[in-house]
Amino acid sequence: MNDSSWGAPPRAGSQAGYWGPNDHGAVPHGPVQGAAPAGPAYDAPEAQQTRSMPIVPDVPAHGGNQDDDRGAARLGGPLFRDETFRDGTFRDETSHGATSHGGTFRNETSPAGTFRDETPSAQPAAAVPQNPEPMPDAPQPASAPQKKSAGRDLTAAIGVGVGLGAVIIASLFVVKAVFVGVIAVAVVVGLWELTSRLQERKGIKAPLVPLAVGGAAMVVAGYVRGAEGAWVAMALTALAVLVWRMTEPPEGYLKDVTAGVFAAFYVPFLATFVAMMLTADDGALRVMTFLLLTVVSDTGAYAVGWRFGKHKLAPRISPGKTREGLLGAVSFAMVVGALCMEFVIEDGTWWQGLLLGLAVAVSATLGDLGESMIKRDLGIKDMGTLLPGHGGIMDRLDSLLPTAPVVWLLLVLFVGSA
């Protein structure tokens, strides 16, 4: 179809090939024959709006639907036509001669049966992409490098660590009995933190009173009577937990007493081995070696893992621990262990210190992972907030508790128990 004007529709009997209504308003099914008018069908002022239009074929060269480019403005003159889209919708377009600038009125019936009237803008506009893609060679801003974070308040952590170290050293080398009291206090506070978190997060009510009394007695028994006294105190504490829980309703009895027996073994019984180390003639030096190796192992793992850690050690349990950190813990602990066994522990040798340091690094890491497993099950980050920069008492005892029996046993094997 060729059209040379963009404007009002010609009158009836106009140019041949015009698809439009006749005098009766009906839409014919073929071209209306007639002579073309001598000029445009509107006034002279409006004739200035006339534009010459490009030649548009009746059927697209590619054979597709003429409404393929429906996103762009329609080119052509007045048009009456019934069209069926590819999606099955029907459109009846009517061009009104009274519309200025060739405005076209369009009736559309969507598949949902709704009716829509559209009047396009007077001027045709080229289709503009909604989301233009960026130029491939456009320079991208470089992201600022992020510094590694230590993950805790180092100032508070160092201050608390120094304070605890001063208390331990003062009590350890002045009066041994005072240090036993420090161990008992740490055990009671650790039991309170553990049982409180169990009740808050899991609804498990492990009886605290028999645990606290039995735990303190266990530490004293281990210092006074050795391993035999520790085992007897452990058995009596477990029995006290079973009996104490009987005073409450039976619902949840099994899980409460199970948690109570676990707490008695995990905190006070393992801590009793520190008290048993203290009974030797060089007990203070043995305890100091035990504490120093554990702290050095943790420090080496933290420093090396924070600086060089890339490969996760146990991502499901503790995502922050790395294999490089474990190597740092082993290296630091073995060096310090060799020095301590050679120059601090009587009758000790450097190679024994290497084995001792290796065992401490492994047991301390396993203890840390075990504590992380408990906290992950409870859905918490720290067991408490008593120690700024560290968390709770249990967050400091996590690596010490399982390491105590390992150091006690190896020192007995290497240099005896006297």
Side-chain angles (χ1 to χ4, degrees):
M1 179 181 65
N2 299 331
D3 195 355
S4 60
S5 66
W6 180 298
R11 295 182 181 87
S14 62
Q15 181 182 355
Y18 166 65
W19 292 66
N22 54 24
D23 292 337
H24 301 286
V27 179
H29 296 282
V32 179
Q33 304 297 326
Y42 35 73
D43 297 337
E46 294 182 351
Q48 298 177 0
Q49 304 294 335
T50 304
R51 295 183 177 182
S52 59
M53 304 304 299
I55 304 302
V56 180
D58 290 340
V59 180
H62 55 76
N65 195 311
Q66 290 187 7
D67 201 50
D68 287 346
D69 297 330
R70 49 193 292 195
R74 180 180 299 276
L75 300 177
L79 180 65
F80 274 82
R81 191 168 179 182
D82 297 341
E83 293 184 50
T84 302
F85 292 112
R86 286 170 296 184
D87 56 1
T89 60
F90 177 79
R91 185 175 70 188
D92 183 11
E93 295 187 1
T94 305
S95 177
H96 296 275
T99 304
S100 63
H101 306 292
T104 301
F105 181 84
R106 186 171 65 195
N107 302 334
E108 289 187 14
T109 304
S110 65
T114 60
F115 188 99
R116 183 176 64 188
D117 296 339
E118 293 185 1
T119 303
S121 60
Q123 299 295 335
V128 179
Q130 296 296 328
N131 297 314
E133 297 184 359
M135 298 296 294
D137 56 349
Q140 300 294 334
S143 58
Q146 296 182 354
K147 295 182 178 180
K148 285 187 176 182
S149 174
R152 56 177 173 173
D153 188 350
L154 288 180
T155 303
I158 294 174
V160 171
V162 171
L164 290 176
V167 172
I168 291 173
I169 293 176
S171 60
L172 184 60
F173 290 96
V174 176
V175 180
K176 290 183 178 180
V178 175
F179 183 73
V180 174
V182 172
I183 299 174
V185 171
V187 163
V188 172
V189 176
L191 286 170
W192 169 72
E193 288 181 348
L194 180 59
T195 56
S196 298
R197 302 296 87 79
L198 289 174
Q199 184 172 357
E200 291 173 0
R201 309 298 297 183
K202 295 292 186 179
I204 300 176
K205 300 179 180 179
L208 178 59
V209 173
L211 284 174
V213 174
M218 207 179 302
V219 173
V220 175
Y223 178 71
V224 175
R225 304 290 298 182
E228 182 180 352
W231 279 112
V232 172
M234 173 65 195
L236 294 177
T237 301
L239 181 61
V241 168
L242 297 176
V243 175
W244 189 278
R245 181 57 181 80
M246 291 180 183
T247 60
E248 299 182 9
E251 289 78 15
Y253 177 82
L254 184 59
K255 65 177 182 180
D256 291 346
V257 298
T258 302
V261 174
F262 163 75
F265 174 82
Y266 181 48
V267 184
F269 181 75
L270 294 181
T272 302
F273 287 91
V274 182
M276 290 193 295
M277 269 189 275
L278 195 60
T279 59
D281 294 337
D282 58 347
L285 297 177
R286 297 191 183 196
V287 172
M288 187 189 70
T289 300
F290 153 69
L291 295 175
L292 183 61
L293 287 178
T294 306
V295 171
V296 166
S297 173
D298 287 348
T299 303
Y302 177 77
V304 175
W306 176 74
R307 181 64 180 86
F308 303 102
K310 294 181 179 179
H311 303 87
K312 301 297 183 182
L313 178 63
R316 289 188 176 183
I317 303 175
S318 182
K321 291 179 175 56
T322 61
R323 299 174 186 177
E324 292 81 4
L326 177 60
L327 292 178
V330 171
S331 301
F332 279 48
M334 290 182 70
V335 170
V336 176
L339 294 175
C340 288
M341 290 299 293
E342 183 70 27
F343 299 105
V344 176
I345 303 299
E346 187 177 356
D347 298 332
T349 59
W350 62 270
W351 65 266
Q352 294 174 341
L354 293 178
L355 296 178
L356 182 63
L358 176 62
V360 167
V362 173
S363 61
T365 302
L366 291 177
D368 203 351
L369 290 175
E371 180 82 2
S372 298
M373 197 78 167
I374 296 174
K375 291 188 288 189
R376 185 166 292 275
D377 184 29
L378 296 177
I380 58 178
K381 184 178 183 297
D382 295 320
M383 280 291 187
T385 58
L386 188 61
L387 304 177
H390 294 268
I393 290 291
M394 286 300 299
D395 295 299
R396 293 299 88 204
L397 297 179
D398 53 1
S399 56
L400 291 170
L401 291 175
T403 304
V406 174
V407 174
W408 174 81
L409 178 61
L410 288 178
L411 288 178
V412 168
L413 293 177
F414 290 156
V415 296
S417 58

